[in-house]
Amino acid sequence: MFQSMSNNTESNWKCEGYTEEPHPSIEVEWDQKCPICNRERNSPKHKGGKFPIGAVIAALSAVAVLGGGYWLWPNLVSQNSTDSSQESTEQTITPTPSPNDQTGEKLGSTVSSASPSEKADSSQESTEQTITPKPSPNDQTGEKVDSTVPSTPPSEKATTQKQLEGFSQGEQTLFSGTGNVNRDRGIEAFQKGDYSKAAELFKKATEADRNDPEVLIYYNNALANQKPNPITLAVVVPIDSRLTSAQEMLRGVAQAQNKFNNSGGFNDQLLQIAIANDGNKPELSEKVARELVNDSSIIGVIGHNSSSASQAGLAVYEEAGLPMISPTSTSTSLSGKAFFRTVPSDAAAGEKLANYAYNKLLIDNAVIFYNPKSSYSSSLKEAFEKNFDSLGGQVIRSVDLSDPEFDAKIDITRIALKKEAQAALLFPNTQFTSVALEITKANSQLETEERLKLLGGDALYSPTTLKAGASVEDLILAVPWFAKSPLSQDFSKMAEKQWGGLVNWRTAMSFDATQAFINAFSSNISRSEVLQQLQGINLSSDKTSGSPLEFTSEGERRSEPILVKATQGGSVAPNNSKFGFDIVRE
């Protein structure tokens, strides 16, 4: 879920497909499978080739760590955990591998990285990782069934529904790289309007792959369509560009939907979810938003993922009066009468970091490293600077991480020699996290007394950051949610039971967004009524991922981020890592 912009490729391998089925060369994370052909690093180039026993052992080890997909940090983490006290570097317990279905493959948990294509701006989008589905053939034909968000009664779906690619309530899988025979059969039944059969098959599909939120959503959609007048929400996720982020969001939505439907729904109406893929592309986000607005059955939207995508969609929702709750977009440029978010904004994160830097670390001056082309990065920088200045601190200068001439070692050495600043604020968007880590490395090479204090945004909250080892020790980050926070314990345990491991902040915030909509249902379930009800939402912590949920008049959540620190033996850490994250005791 995290990408690298540096030339450091020792952690990647190149795949060109099987000899008999080649494809263009693609860089793949060292411990991941090729998303195109499903090859592992040690797999033979010939499908029928003899697989060495060493490779078999390596593959099994990879499955134990990889198969699943959220920021599931392996069980070894919990053995090192000493603090049970935002965001999602959470550790996780490796899900118990189970048969995938008739293929006999196993799925476990993983710490998954973003593919090279996942380089869109994502406000808080990729600081964690998750259970990534195991790539495999889509079906026997390899063809994709077009999907749609229906605006017709359920009974008419099979014959009158307009086909829209990138939308599905169960008519197709939007994750074509994952194989699950019962899911595919369930899709066929769903297309025919045989919801009873579809529910039966989707149920088996969830048992075969407990980590896959799409099949759990489709199972509940099939149940919902067996009753009159299902309640429909849409969730917009970036499957094409940030597959793991999409799955993380869907897990939160699926968990809330499943809980709601299992409790009987509302007035005997169950909840169905329409999944839409916008790839985090603003131009596509606008088109997706228009399709959702035109479907009168949809009374609310969860998403989008990145701030730029949310901004494009919001303009459409505002005009139509369709309420939108974003669980991941943090940019301060987002606002409107139809807009809400369950994640603390960049304004809150910037204020939190400024207060801690000035009042606790006694820092008077700082340098900011950010990407001015990123809405997330820019708004975080502006929020910190504004609050730090009001406290009496000074930002000496701001450095553009996207500048091709930028050299981390030269810049950090210059700052140290001239004693320009006491701290470096690292605010990259996910596209430039690798450049920020070059800064931490350069800083660690200075004499101890010359080193800068390091603070940053949640884009650095990831296993990739911790792999940097001693260079990130004592790095302090502001994150939306933390699995080991005292308030998060109940939800974390519930999520662990559902998915086989602890989840990250995207899952938690998406769960809260869905819960907000669910608790806005009233006797008159309409867009305008739900919009009005959301303004008065007040949920206790037992109905959310941990913190009470209430919105301000601007749609902001009344909460603040959590500060975590990278430290040796941290309670939330990837497997075989000496470093993890722990909550900062303020």
Side-chain angles (χ1 to χ4, degrees), residues 24-45:
S25 178
I26 180 175
E27 280 200 359
V28 184
E29 289 289 325
W30 188 251
D31 55 358
Q32 288 194 16
K33 290 188 175 183
C34 175
I36 298 178
C37 68
N38 200 29
R39 278 188 62 202
E40 292 181 331
R41 173 168 50 88
N42 292 321
S43 297
K45 291 185 178 180

PDB file of all heavy atoms in Angstrom, residues 24-45:
ATOM      1  N   PRO A  24       4.324  -7.210 -19.926  1.00  0.00           N
ATOM      2  CA  PRO A  24       5.333  -6.152 -19.747  1.00  0.00           C
ATOM      3  C   PRO A  24       5.959  -6.218 -18.359  1.00  0.00           C
ATOM      4  O   PRO A  24       5.305  -6.567 -17.380  1.00  0.00           O
ATOM      5  CB  PRO A  24       4.515  -4.859 -19.938  1.00  0.00           C
ATOM      6  CG  PRO A  24       3.362  -5.275 -20.782  1.00  0.00           C
ATOM      7  CD  PRO A  24       3.032  -6.677 -20.362  1.00  0.00           C
ATOM      8  N   SER A  25       7.228  -5.862 -18.285  1.00  0.00           N
ATOM      9  CA  SER A  25       7.960  -5.909 -17.013  1.00  0.00           C
ATOM     10  C   SER A  25       7.306  -4.999 -15.975  1.00  0.00           C
ATOM     11  O   SER A  25       6.925  -3.866 -16.269  1.00  0.00           O
ATOM     12  CB  SER A  25       9.406  -5.475 -17.238  1.00  0.00           C
ATOM     13  OG  SER A  25      10.120  -5.470 -16.023  1.00  0.00           O
ATOM     14  N   ILE A  26       7.158  -5.509 -14.754  1.00  0.00           N
ATOM     15  CA  ILE A  26       6.554  -4.730 -13.669  1.00  0.00           C
ATOM     16  C   ILE A  26       7.333  -4.986 -12.386  1.00  0.00           C
ATOM     17  O   ILE A  26       7.765  -6.113 -12.121  1.00  0.00           O
ATOM     18  CB  ILE A  26       5.069  -5.107 -13.469  1.00  0.00           C
ATOM     19  CG1 ILE A  26       4.450  -4.276 -12.323  1.00  0.00           C
ATOM     20  CG2 ILE A  26       4.893  -6.574 -13.189  1.00  0.00           C
ATOM     21  CD1 ILE A  26       2.963  -4.498 -12.157  1.00  0.00           C
ATOM     22  N   GLU A  27       7.583  -3.925 -11.626  1.00  0.00           N
ATOM     23  CA  GLU A  27       8.259  -4.075 -10.343  1.00  0.00           C
ATOM     24  C   GLU A  27       7.255  -4.522  -9.291  1.00  0.00           C
ATOM     25  O   GLU A  27       6.163  -3.981  -9.188  1.00  0.00           O
ATOM     26  CB  GLU A  27       8.914  -2.763  -9.908  1.00  0.00           C
ATOM     27  CG  GLU A  27      10.238  -2.508 -10.602  1.00  0.00           C
ATOM     28  CD  GLU A  27      11.090  -1.495  -9.845  1.00  0.00           C
ATOM     29  OE1 GLU A  27      10.630  -0.998  -8.808  1.00  0.00           O
ATOM     30  OE2 GLU A  27      12.215  -1.219 -10.301  1.00  0.00           O
ATOM     31  N   VAL A  28       7.644  -5.511  -8.504  1.00  0.00           N
ATOM     32  CA  VAL A  28       6.769  -6.067  -7.476  1.00  0.00           C
ATOM     33  C   VAL A  28       7.497  -6.013  -6.142  1.00  0.00           C
ATOM     34  O   VAL A  28       8.718  -6.226  -6.078  1.00  0.00           O
ATOM     35  CB  VAL A  28       6.391  -7.531  -7.804  1.00  0.00           C
ATOM     36  CG1 VAL A  28       5.393  -8.061  -6.780  1.00  0.00           C
ATOM     37  CG2 VAL A  28       5.809  -7.625  -9.209  1.00  0.00           C
ATOM     38  N   GLU A  29       6.771  -5.697  -5.070  1.00  0.00           N
ATOM     39  CA  GLU A  29       7.363  -5.701  -3.733  1.00  0.00           C
ATOM     40  C   GLU A  29       8.000  -7.065  -3.462  1.00  0.00           C
ATOM     41  O   GLU A  29       7.480  -8.110  -3.894  1.00  0.00           O
ATOM     42  CB  GLU A  29       6.304  -5.408  -2.678  1.00  0.00           C
ATOM     43  CG  GLU A  29       5.806  -3.973  -2.665  1.00  0.00           C
ATOM     44  CD  GLU A  29       6.844  -2.989  -2.131  1.00  0.00           C
ATOM     45  OE1 GLU A  29       7.603  -3.371  -1.215  1.00  0.00           O
ATOM     46  OE2 GLU A  29       6.903  -1.867  -2.631  1.00  0.00           O
ATOM     47  N   TRP A  30       9.104  -7.079  -2.738  1.00  0.00           N
ATOM     48  CA  TRP A  30       9.919  -8.285  -2.535  1.00  0.00           C
ATOM     49  C   TRP A  30       9.109  -9.464  -2.030  1.00  0.00           C
ATOM     50  O   TRP A  30       9.313 -10.593  -2.426  1.00  0.00           O
ATOM     51  CB  TRP A  30      11.027  -7.958  -1.551  1.00  0.00           C
ATOM     52  CG  TRP A  30      12.048  -9.048  -1.385  1.00  0.00           C
ATOM     53  CD1 TRP A  30      12.232  -9.853  -0.311  1.00  0.00           C
ATOM     54  CD2 TRP A  30      13.031  -9.441  -2.345  1.00  0.00           C
ATOM     55  NE1 TRP A  30      13.274 -10.715  -0.531  1.00  0.00           N
ATOM     56  CE2 TRP A  30      13.785 -10.502  -1.774  1.00  0.00           C
ATOM     57  CE3 TRP A  30      13.341  -9.022  -3.633  1.00  0.00           C
ATOM     58  CZ2 TRP A  30      14.826 -11.130  -2.445  1.00  0.00           C
ATOM     59  CZ3 TRP A  30      14.379  -9.641  -4.293  1.00  0.00           C
ATOM     60  CH2 TRP A  30      15.119 -10.687  -3.708  1.00  0.00           C
ATOM     61  N   ASP A  31       8.148  -9.185  -1.119  1.00  0.00           N
ATOM     62  CA  ASP A  31       7.416 -10.287  -0.503  1.00  0.00           C
ATOM     63  C   ASP A  31       5.996 -10.408  -1.034  1.00  0.00           C
ATOM     64  O   ASP A  31       5.133 -10.970  -0.400  1.00  0.00           O
ATOM     65  CB  ASP A  31       7.386 -10.129   1.029  1.00  0.00           C
ATOM     66  CG  ASP A  31       6.819  -8.787   1.461  1.00  0.00           C
ATOM     67  OD1 ASP A  31       6.491  -7.979   0.573  1.00  0.00           O
ATOM     68  OD2 ASP A  31       6.715  -8.561   2.674  1.00  0.00           O
ATOM     69  N   GLN A  32       5.766  -9.870  -2.245  1.00  0.00           N
ATOM     70  CA  GLN A  32       4.426  -9.947  -2.810  1.00  0.00           C
ATOM     71  C   GLN A  32       4.421 -10.720  -4.131  1.00  0.00           C
ATOM     72  O   GLN A  32       5.464 -11.000  -4.721  1.00  0.00           O
ATOM     73  CB  GLN A  32       3.866  -8.540  -3.059  1.00  0.00           C
ATOM     74  CG  GLN A  32       3.510  -7.818  -1.779  1.00  0.00           C
ATOM     75  CD  GLN A  32       2.661  -6.599  -2.069  1.00  0.00           C
ATOM     76  OE1 GLN A  32       2.115  -6.450  -3.143  1.00  0.00           O
ATOM     77  NE2 GLN A  32       2.559  -5.727  -1.092  1.00  0.00           N
ATOM     78  N   LYS A  33       3.210 -11.043  -4.557  1.00  0.00           N
ATOM     79  CA  LYS A  33       3.028 -11.688  -5.853  1.00  0.00           C
ATOM     80  C   LYS A  33       2.791 -10.646  -6.937  1.00  0.00           C
ATOM     81  O   LYS A  33       2.331  -9.541  -6.660  1.00  0.00           O
ATOM     82  CB  LYS A  33       1.840 -12.641  -5.804  1.00  0.00           C
ATOM     83  CG  LYS A  33       2.090 -13.876  -4.946  1.00  0.00           C
ATOM     84  CD  LYS A  33       0.941 -14.857  -5.102  1.00  0.00           C
ATOM     85  CE  LYS A  33       1.217 -16.142  -4.353  1.00  0.00           C
ATOM     86  NZ  LYS A  33       0.153 -17.139  -4.559  1.00  0.00           N
ATOM     87  N   CYS A  34       3.085 -11.033  -8.150  1.00  0.00           N
ATOM     88  CA  CYS A  34       2.818 -10.163  -9.297  1.00  0.00           C
ATOM     89  C   CYS A  34       1.310  -9.997  -9.444  1.00  0.00           C
ATOM     90  O   CYS A  34       0.581 -10.998  -9.527  1.00  0.00           O
ATOM     91  CB  CYS A  34       3.404 -10.765 -10.564  1.00  0.00           C
ATOM     92  SG  CYS A  34       2.994  -9.817 -12.056  1.00  0.00           S
ATOM     93  N   PRO A  35       0.795  -8.750  -9.486  1.00  0.00           N
ATOM     94  CA  PRO A  35      -0.649  -8.539  -9.609  1.00  0.00           C
ATOM     95  C   PRO A  35      -1.211  -8.919 -10.970  1.00  0.00           C
ATOM     96  O   PRO A  35      -2.418  -9.009 -11.141  1.00  0.00           O
ATOM     97  CB  PRO A  35      -0.797  -7.029  -9.352  1.00  0.00           C
ATOM     98  CG  PRO A  35       0.515  -6.453  -9.756  1.00  0.00           C
ATOM     99  CD  PRO A  35       1.554  -7.492  -9.375  1.00  0.00           C
ATOM    100  N   ILE A  36      -0.316  -9.155 -11.961  1.00  0.00           N
ATOM    101  CA  ILE A  36      -0.790  -9.494 -13.303  1.00  0.00           C
ATOM    102  C   ILE A  36      -0.904 -11.006 -13.488  1.00  0.00           C
ATOM    103  O   ILE A  36      -1.935 -11.529 -13.907  1.00  0.00           O
ATOM    104  CB  ILE A  36       0.152  -8.901 -14.375  1.00  0.00           C
ATOM    105  CG1 ILE A  36       0.168  -7.359 -14.281  1.00  0.00           C
ATOM    106  CG2 ILE A  36      -0.278  -9.346 -15.775  1.00  0.00           C
ATOM    107  CD1 ILE A  36       1.104  -6.699 -15.255  1.00  0.00           C
ATOM    108  N   CYS A  37       0.177 -11.732 -13.145  1.00  0.00           N
ATOM    109  CA  CYS A  37       0.189 -13.169 -13.442  1.00  0.00           C
ATOM    110  C   CYS A  37       0.183 -14.044 -12.198  1.00  0.00           C
ATOM    111  O   CYS A  37       0.167 -15.266 -12.296  1.00  0.00           O
ATOM    112  CB  CYS A  37       1.389 -13.517 -14.302  1.00  0.00           C
ATOM    113  SG  CYS A  37       2.980 -13.341 -13.420  1.00  0.00           S
ATOM    114  N   ASN A  38       0.270 -13.427 -11.011  1.00  0.00           N
ATOM    115  CA  ASN A  38       0.189 -14.172  -9.753  1.00  0.00           C
ATOM    116  C   ASN A  38       1.476 -14.928  -9.417  1.00  0.00           C
ATOM    117  O   ASN A  38       1.487 -15.780  -8.539  1.00  0.00           O
ATOM    118  CB  ASN A  38      -0.985 -15.163  -9.781  1.00  0.00           C
ATOM    119  CG  ASN A  38      -1.391 -15.584  -8.375  1.00  0.00           C
ATOM    120  OD1 ASN A  38      -1.225 -14.829  -7.432  1.00  0.00           O
ATOM    121  ND2 ASN A  38      -1.915 -16.785  -8.237  1.00  0.00           N
ATOM    122  N   ARG A  39       2.574 -14.646 -10.112  1.00  0.00           N
ATOM    123  CA  ARG A  39       3.844 -15.289  -9.788  1.00  0.00           C
ATOM    124  C   ARG A  39       4.398 -14.752  -8.488  1.00  0.00           C
ATOM    125  O   ARG A  39       4.224 -13.591  -8.152  1.00  0.00           O
ATOM    126  CB  ARG A  39       4.871 -15.030 -10.894  1.00  0.00           C
ATOM    127  CG  ARG A  39       4.770 -15.927 -12.100  1.00  0.00           C
ATOM    128  CD  ARG A  39       5.964 -15.700 -13.014  1.00  0.00           C
ATOM    129  NE  ARG A  39       7.217 -16.033 -12.367  1.00  0.00           N
ATOM    130  CZ  ARG A  39       8.415 -15.552 -12.747  1.00  0.00           C
ATOM    131  NH1 ARG A  39       8.491 -14.710 -13.749  1.00  0.00           N
ATOM    132  NH2 ARG A  39       9.507 -15.918 -12.115  1.00  0.00           N
ATOM    133  N   GLU A  40       5.098 -15.607  -7.764  1.00  0.00           N
ATOM    134  CA  GLU A  40       5.875 -15.181  -6.609  1.00  0.00           C
ATOM    135  C   GLU A  40       7.329 -15.009  -7.037  1.00  0.00           C
ATOM    136  O   GLU A  40       7.743 -15.465  -8.103  1.00  0.00           O
ATOM    137  CB  GLU A  40       5.777 -16.215  -5.489  1.00  0.00           C
ATOM    138  CG  GLU A  40       4.387 -16.303  -4.882  1.00  0.00           C
ATOM    139  CD  GLU A  40       4.325 -17.320  -3.753  1.00  0.00           C
ATOM    140  OE1 GLU A  40       5.115 -18.285  -3.799  1.00  0.00           O
ATOM    141  OE2 GLU A  40       3.510 -17.140  -2.839  1.00  0.00           O
ATOM    142  N   ARG A  41       8.102 -14.358  -6.190  1.00  0.00           N
ATOM    143  CA  ARG A  41       9.496 -14.054  -6.505  1.00  0.00           C
ATOM    144  C   ARG A  41      10.288 -15.305  -6.873  1.00  0.00           C
ATOM    145  O   ARG A  41      11.108 -15.298  -7.784  1.00  0.00           O
ATOM    146  CB  ARG A  41      10.132 -13.346  -5.305  1.00  0.00           C
ATOM    147  CG  ARG A  41      11.616 -13.118  -5.401  1.00  0.00           C
ATOM    148  CD  ARG A  41      12.075 -12.161  -4.312  1.00  0.00           C
ATOM    149  NE  ARG A  41      11.585 -12.568  -3.000  1.00  0.00           N
ATOM    150  CZ  ARG A  41      12.221 -13.415  -2.206  1.00  0.00           C
ATOM    151  NH1 ARG A  41      13.357 -13.946  -2.594  1.00  0.00           N
ATOM    152  NH2 ARG A  41      11.730 -13.717  -1.019  1.00  0.00           N
ATOM    153  N   ASN A  42      10.057 -16.402  -6.139  1.00  0.00           N
ATOM    154  CA  ASN A  42      10.832 -17.619  -6.351  1.00  0.00           C
ATOM    155  C   ASN A  42      10.153 -18.633  -7.267  1.00  0.00           C
ATOM    156  O   ASN A  42      10.607 -19.770  -7.401  1.00  0.00           O
ATOM    157  CB  ASN A  42      11.129 -18.285  -5.008  1.00  0.00           C
ATOM    158  CG  ASN A  42      12.075 -17.449  -4.177  1.00  0.00           C
ATOM    159  OD1 ASN A  42      13.005 -16.867  -4.709  1.00  0.00           O
ATOM    160  ND2 ASN A  42      11.830 -17.362  -2.875  1.00  0.00           N
ATOM    161  N   SER A  43       9.036 -18.245  -7.877  1.00  0.00           N
ATOM    162  CA  SER A  43       8.331 -19.178  -8.745  1.00  0.00           C
ATOM    163  C   SER A  43       9.134 -19.446 -10.019  1.00  0.00           C
ATOM    164  O   SER A  43       9.834 -18.562 -10.519  1.00  0.00           O
ATOM    165  CB  SER A  43       6.960 -18.631  -9.127  1.00  0.00           C
ATOM    166  OG  SER A  43       6.152 -18.478  -7.995  1.00  0.00           O
ATOM    167  N   PRO A  44       9.023 -20.649 -10.583  1.00  0.00           N
ATOM    168  CA  PRO A  44       9.699 -20.938 -11.868  1.00  0.00           C
ATOM    169  C   PRO A  44       9.036 -20.163 -12.987  1.00  0.00           C
ATOM    170  O   PRO A  44       7.870 -19.794 -12.898  1.00  0.00           O
ATOM    171  CB  PRO A  44       9.495 -22.444 -12.043  1.00  0.00           C
ATOM    172  CG  PRO A  44       8.242 -22.732 -11.263  1.00  0.00           C
ATOM    173  CD  PRO A  44       8.276 -21.808 -10.073  1.00  0.00           C
ATOM    174  N   LYS A  45       9.773 -19.901 -14.035  1.00  0.00           N
ATOM    175  CA  LYS A  45       9.237 -19.152 -15.165  1.00  0.00           C
ATOM    176  C   LYS A  45       8.287 -19.986 -16.009  1.00  0.00           C
ATOM    177  O   LYS A  45       7.511 -19.453 -16.786  1.00  0.00           O
ATOM    178  CB  LYS A  45      10.368 -18.604 -16.031  1.00  0.00           C
ATOM    179  CG  LYS A  45      11.164 -17.507 -15.327  1.00  0.00           C
ATOM    180  CD  LYS A  45      12.197 -16.892 -16.254  1.00  0.00           C
ATOM    181  CE  LYS A  45      12.940 -15.772 -15.545  1.00  0.00           C
ATOM    182  NZ  LYS A  45      13.954 -15.142 -16.438  1.00  0.00           N
TER     183      LYS A  45
END
